[in-house]
Amino acid sequence: MSMIFCRGCGKEIHESAPTCPHCGAPQTIPSNQGKVSFSSYDQVPWYRKQWFAFVCFLIFTPGLLLILLSGDVYYESKGQLKTYSTTAKVVLIACVIIYFIVAFTL
Ligand SMILES: [Zn+2]
């Protein structure tokens, strides 16, 4: 038996309690559709940052394809953490594929 602190009121409650018996706040973290989200750019792993995606594009293009297909690419704009939209990713993936076709047929 171990105790945790309520996410709502801060009182001590049992760790398996789905809601707080004091204030009723839910204790389970919202899954966010299984997506990993970061609150700041510093928390983003290096392989998910825009500069790494760019380096991949220059040095090892299949790596960029892997990054785009396996998750989101993050960048910082005016102090805000941003991620590429699905449309931007599809366009990028299409560009990489076209780049490959051109590179190997010429
Ligand atoms: Zn509570």
Side-chain angles (χ1 to χ4, degrees):
M1 289 254 288
S2 66
M3 305 296 275
I4 55 159
F5 294 101
C6 169
R7 293 160 61 82
C9 65
K11 282 179 182 159
E12 227 181 7
I13 56 164
H14 190 249
E15 63 170 353
S16 69
T19 55
C20 174
H22 305 287
C23 71
Q27 300 303 307
T28 46
I29 302 153
S31 68
N32 195 17
Q33 285 98 40
K35 270 183 105 178
V36 186
S37 55
F38 306 99
S39 53
S40 81
Y41 191 67
D42 296 331
Q43 292 180 343
V44 178
W46 55 271
Y47 55 87
R48 288 260 169 261
K49 290 184 178 181
Q50 190 183 35
W51 66 264
F52 183 73
F54 187 67
V55 168
C56 263
F57 178 70
L58 294 175
I59 298 165
F60 184 64
T61 315
L64 175 62
L65 213 55
L66 262 174
I67 293 165
L68 290 170
L69 292 172
S70 64
D72 288 325
V73 175
Y74 294 87
Y75 62 99
E76 203 173 26
S77 170
K78 290 166 196 160
Q80 292 240 302
L81 183 66
K82 307 251 181 175
T83 178
Y84 285 177
S85 66
T86 310
T87 318
K89 278 169 73 179
V90 167
V91 168
L92 264 171
I93 290 166
C95 284
V96 171
I97 292 167
I98 291 163
Y99 170 83
F100 263 106
I101 293 166
V102 170
F104 285 103
T105 51
L106 289 178

Coordinates of all heavy atoms in Angstrom, one line a residue, residues 9 27 36-37 41 54-55 67 87:
C9 N -6.5 18.3 -5.4 CA -6.5 19.0 -4.1 C -5.2 18.9 -3.4 O -4.9 19.6 -2.4 CB -7.7 18.7 -3.3 SG -7.6 16.9 -2.7
Q27 N -7.7 10.6 -11.3 CA -6.2 10.5 -11.0 C -5.5 9.9 -12.2 O -4.3 9.8 -12.2 CB -6.0 9.7 -9.8 CG -6.6 10.3 -8.5 CD -6.1 11.7 -8.2 OE1 -4.9 11.9 -8.2 NE2 -7.1 12.6 -8.1
V36 N 2.9 10.9 -27.7 CA 3.8 11.5 -26.7 C 3.8 13.0 -26.9 O 4.1 13.4 -28.0 CB 5.2 10.9 -26.8 CG1 6.1 11.4 -25.7 CG2 5.1 9.4 -26.9
S37 N 3.6 13.7 -25.9 CA 3.6 15.2 -26.0 C 4.6 15.7 -25.0 O 4.8 15.2 -23.9 CB 2.3 15.8 -25.9 OG 1.7 15.4 -24.6
Y41 N 10.6 22.4 -25.6 CA 11.5 21.9 -26.6 C 12.7 21.2 -26.0 O 13.2 20.2 -26.6 CB 12.1 23.1 -27.4 CG 12.8 22.8 -28.7 CD1 12.1 22.2 -29.7 CD2 14.1 23.0 -28.8 CE1 12.8 21.8 -30.9 CE2 14.8 22.7 -30.0 CZ 14.1 22.1 -31.0 OH 14.8 21.8 -32.2
F54 N 16.8 17.5 -40.5 CA 17.4 18.2 -41.6 C 18.8 17.6 -41.9 O 19.1 17.3 -43.1 CB 17.6 19.7 -41.3 CG 18.1 20.5 -42.4 CD1 17.3 20.7 -43.6 CD2 19.4 21.1 -42.4 CE1 17.8 21.4 -44.7 CE2 19.8 21.8 -43.5 CZ 19.1 22.0 -44.6
V55 N 19.5 17.3 -40.9 CA 20.8 16.6 -41.0 C 20.7 15.2 -41.7 O 21.4 14.9 -42.6 CB 21.5 16.5 -39.6 CG1 22.8 15.5 -39.7 CG2 22.0 17.8 -39.1
I67 N 12.1 8.8 -39.4 CA 11.6 9.8 -38.4 C 10.2 10.2 -38.7 O 9.4 10.3 -37.8 CB 12.6 11.0 -38.4 CG1 14.0 10.6 -37.9 CG2 12.1 12.1 -37.5 CD1 15.1 11.6 -38.2
T87 N -0.2 17.1 -42.9 CA -0.1 17.5 -44.3 C 1.4 17.8 -44.6 O 1.9 17.4 -45.6 CB -0.9 18.8 -44.5 OG1 -2.2 18.6 -43.9 CG2 -1.1 19.1 -46.0

